[in-house]
Amino acid sequence: RAGQLAGRWSETEGEAAAKAMESVTIMPEDLAHGVATDGLPIPAFVHLLRERTGQAAIHTGSTSQDVMDTSLALSMSGSLDLIMDRLGALQTDGEALVKRHGDAPLMGRTRMQAALEITVADRARPWFAAIAEQLTAARALVPRGNAIQIGGPVGDRRQMGDNPEALVAHMAQALGRTPAPMWQAQRDHVAEFA
């Protein structure tokens, strides 16, 4: 459907391909040989889609790397949601712990030996400060982790048709993500996420 917006094929061809793909089942084992040959599943996946649907209006202009990068963005986004939920729960539980028991005495330790008396709040405060920092860092990654990557063979979208921005906007909307400039050569947010 996105390809028709960019002028890659007609609306009729795009709809026919989209409808045909909805009924295709491709199992991981169907891709094994292709992965062994190409090092990634996309060429075999596209070949099987075209073969099983009889449609040509599938995956032209974009690259295997675009699909892999967008899949990575989807995985990062889902993982960030989970990480933020868990860090938020830890932060809430930590605040409740300090509220309930913060004034309770503990023995402070140095080199695994008893040192001076401290409180639960003294012990817990650095732990939960670190959690708050990690939660802030995860939230900062969300906009970039939500950005799909579609750049075509050399990252300039020129092979994507007459209106590549419409294609990218449609794909982003369909995936519930953000249209963004190409980031195939900018991997810093992937490194930050890792």
Side-chain angles (χ1 to χ4, degrees), residues 37-48:
T37 302
D38 298 317
L40 65 161
I42 307 310
F45 182 71
V46 170
H47 173 77
L48 288 171

Side-chain angles (χ1 to χ4, degrees), residues 2-194:
Q4 67 198 31
L5 297 173
R8 299 294 301 171
W9 43 73
S10 71
E11 183 176 348
T12 302
E13 291 169 312
E15 280 302 315
K19 292 282 186 203
M21 284 189 286
E22 290 172 2
S23 64
V24 172
T25 300
I26 297 177
M27 302 301 292
E29 55 270 17
D30 297 336
L31 304 173
H33 179 73
V35 171
T37 302
D38 298 317
L40 65 161
I42 307 310
F45 182 71
V46 170
H47 173 77
L48 288 171
L49 278 177
R50 287 181 180 150
E51 181 181 85
R52 293 180 183 179
T53 64
Q55 302 292 319
I58 297 172
H59 188 70
T60 63
S62 60
T63 65
S64 296
Q65 192 63 50
D66 290 334
V67 176
M68 297 298 289
D69 287 345
T70 295
S71 297
L72 174 64
L74 293 170
S75 296
M76 288 186 342
S77 176
S79 296
L80 281 171
D81 290 343
L82 178 64
I83 290 166
M84 289 187 302
D85 286 348
R86 289 183 177 175
L87 287 173
L90 278 171
Q91 190 174 40
T92 299
D93 291 348
E95 290 167 358
L97 173 79
V98 169
K99 188 174 184 176
R100 249 187 345 268
H101 304 289
D103 293 332
L106 286 177
M107 182 54 64
R109 301 202 168 269
T110 183
R111 294 180 55 221
M112 298 176 23
Q113 298 175 31
L116 299 172
E117 187 175 285
I118 61 172
T119 66
V120 168
D122 293 329
R123 175 66 43 86
R125 198 172 292 116
W127 297 342
F128 298 115
I131 289 170
E133 286 176 17
Q134 292 305 311
L135 185 55
T136 299
R139 285 181 180 138
L141 282 173
V142 168
R144 293 173 66 197
N146 271 336
I148 65 169
Q149 162 53 36
I150 301 177
V154 294
D156 63 6
R157 296 185 176 154
R158 283 189 287 187
Q159 302 299 316
M160 310 289 296
D162 298 335
N163 190 356
E165 300 312 317
L167 182 148
V168 172
H170 178 85
M171 289 298 297
Q173 181 181 11
L175 295 170
R177 299 295 177 249
T178 307
M182 289 79 61
W183 54 264
Q184 69 187 42
Q186 295 173 291
R187 301 289 180 171
D188 56 321
H189 71 290
V190 178
E192 288 172 24
F193 174 81

